[in-house]
Amino acid sequence: MTKRLIITTLLGFIWIVSHGQGLIYQIRRTQEKIIIDGALNELGWQKADIADNFNQYFPNDSTAADSRTEVRLLYDDEFIYFSAKMYNLSDHRDYVTPSLRRDFSGNAIDGITLLFDTFQDKTNAFQFGVNSYGVQREGLIAGGFGGTSWSWDNKWYAEAEQYDGYWIAEGAIPFKSVRFKEGKDQWNVNFYRLDSEAGERSTWHQVPRNYDIKSLAFMGVLQWEEPLVKPGSNISLIPYTALEVNRDFEEEDQSKAASRLNMGGDAKIALGSGLNLDLTFNPDFSQVEVDQQVTNLDRFELFFPEKRQFFLENADLFANFGHPYYAKTFFSRRIGIVNDTINDRLVQNKIHYGARLSGKLDNNWRLGLLNMQTEAIEDINLPGFNYSIAALQRKVFARSNIGAIFSNKQSFDSDNDDPDFDPNHFNRVLGFDYNLASADNKWIGKTMYQRSWDSNDENGEEYAHAAWIAYRSRKWQVEWAHTLVGENFNAEMGFVPRNGLFRIENILARNFYPSKGPINIHQTQLALETLWGDTETTGETIKSDQLMAIDENMQFQNTAKLDLSFKRRYTYLFDSFDPTNTEGVELPTDSDYTYYFLWMRFQSDRRKTLSYTLIGQAGEYFNGHRYRFGGTIRYRLQPFAAFNIDFNYNKLSLPEPYNSADLVLIGSRIDVTMTRKLFLTSFLQYNTQAENFNINTRLQWRFKPVSDLFIVYTDNYATMDENQEFRFTEKNRALVIKFTYWLNL
């Protein structure tokens, strides 16, 4: 049955429909020096073609934009220049920005964004944005649907100036900061504007509002005056020096703080105009923001996103293989972060070196190669591992692609004396993906198959397979998905939270667009997800989990959102489990539970200085009840500071002898941006479930483009003593001073 299902799925995915291109923008070469100042005094701007007549995306997508926008582009041998003039509905107004920090996000701002699909594959693009205060953001779009990685960082320049009745953004993007095919004379391009005064989002090339505003299926053509040439040698060195002082108060010797001086760096080498070689030696990630803590009521491992810069460029080429939730082939956080099973905590695993070759071979082929080596940690009997990945992807039809990936994790640490250590340990995975995206974006989907091999010599069911297909029109959304994960499938470099499952999910949704009233769009959705697994005692296949949901999702004209859901959940426990995750008495193995609950979320208009998100849940939970209240309160002292308070309260009431619990998670973020180059961020997180209080404060001075001085202070406290009484006890403390410098050769 499994083989028949896989073959049928693969055959069913080989089809596509076509769609033509739309607008064309002719970009002009300039011999004039362009000064980036937001003034547009150069003669070249008067000669440049104008991209105007923007289309409204929100609140409606069938009319011209109310707010007029004009975008102009020029270029020379080194830079792509852009200017955008954004007219307002009134002469005098206030602009909205979350802060002066780079890489702003959200729709409740005033900004202009440019999308460049340099290979015209309609699946990958570079994104550059500027807001009304001159704050920059850059990101990578992968998959063609609009999902963006804002953690990507590169060198480019921009300024903005505010005038009566309009504001201007002006910028220069080095050709060396993007990847493109030498000899091409066309790219795909689109521009979109966010206008907080009008509550409007608009695009140059029209994008239906039931798709993401950044969808690469709807783009115009950027026509160059002559075929592009390679921009010369493109080699960047990014050395760093970091001084770290730390003290672990849980160690036996608490009298002294340990200190160390680290040095290392990265190199970025462009091989041609489409490929990039990234090298790292003794990398240091101490400046990376801490993970936002969550209340964990799950039976399986939680997923946290990657934030380390080295792993982000072309990350989709490695990370998108497999199933995103149940069988991910490669999860980069497996490298450099390991589970200390002796002390039951996550610890940093030093990376000696790494190399990654990734990018485009031509318009149709993408290649990714990665190799990294970690250090052995003798205290926890962890050997050093070598991690290798090879990925190849081929574009097919209009926007779809087919790809293959091979991963290998292997130890060469034969001198390890641990009797449980296998010096020949290895884990390998071979996987194949087909990603479907029709030209008009109505049909999207995926099918994949993976096979694992390792030194444990498991026999049978070392596979994972999944398929997903969705039809999304203006009014209707229909989805089908199924997933199989074999009992012995093992992807040690990936993310596989549970084995031995078969899953089917169905979604039917209808969109409604009221012609008047406060609601802009609302969606009614029915969803059914069912999982099956085999019992250990009899091997019988039975239903293990099921979720039935009726959802109502609304977006209002003022940009606020309201989501309501009534859910029925069924759970069969193959293993005993404490639903509070507080080490209490566990519900017995082979017991099952059916429970009903209500869930809601409301997000207010984020254009306001004070905004908030509220989340609530009430109803049954296993053999008891759960009541949840949480959300976020945001306040802007614009443009220099933003204050966020996240809170989550869960009241879990279970009958004796099982634990009941009142779980509290409170986190605050203080973001002070003295200038566009000097930032102070402070996180405070208090988690009663983890019995931990954490402080993380980071000062960043960007003294040159992509060159920084970081000062990072971290403090952790236990909040309960041995008698389970509230008491702050120091656990560990660290201070890091790190200097990085981007040097172009």
Side-chain angles (χ1 to χ4, degrees), residues 599 615-619 626-631 647-651:
W599 179 90
I615 299 174
Q617 179 177 328
R626 177 186 179 187
Y627 303 95
R628 177 191 177 194
F629 180 65
F647 58 96
N648 192 15
Y649 170 69
N650 280 274
K651 182 176 181 60

Side-chain angles (χ1 to χ4, degrees), residues 6 9-10 13 320-324 326-329 403 430-435 446-451 463-468 482-485 489:
I6 295 171
T9 301
L10 288 170
F13 266 78
N320 285 3
F321 277 90
H323 191 283
Y326 290 99
K328 198 176 186 67
T329 314
L430 177 64
F432 300 93
D433 274 22
Y434 174 67
N435 297 286
K446 175 178 185 142
T447 184
M448 70 87 174
Y449 180 80
Q450 301 178 59
R451 174 70 160 80
Y463 66 86
H465 161 67
W468 165 66
H482 68 253
T483 309
L484 297 95
V485 181
F489 177 70

Side-chain angles (χ1 to χ4, degrees), residues 277-331:
L277 176 64
D278 293 282
L279 304 173
T280 187
F281 171 71
N282 191 31
D284 176 88
F285 305 110
S286 57
Q287 83 281 6
V288 175
E289 287 188 354
V290 295
D291 291 321
Q292 183 173 354
Q293 295 186 31
V294 298
T295 301
N296 182 12
L297 298 177
D298 208 304
R299 292 172 289 157
F300 307 102
E301 181 183 8
L302 298 178
F303 182 90
F304 291 93
E306 177 63 84
K307 297 180 180 180
R308 296 172 295 177
Q309 178 69 25
F310 179 82
F311 295 99
L312 294 175
E313 186 168 359
N314 286 313
D316 69 291
L317 187 54
F318 303 98
N320 285 3
F321 277 90
H323 191 283
Y325 306 117
Y326 290 99
K328 198 176 186 67
T329 314
F330 176 64
F331 181 38

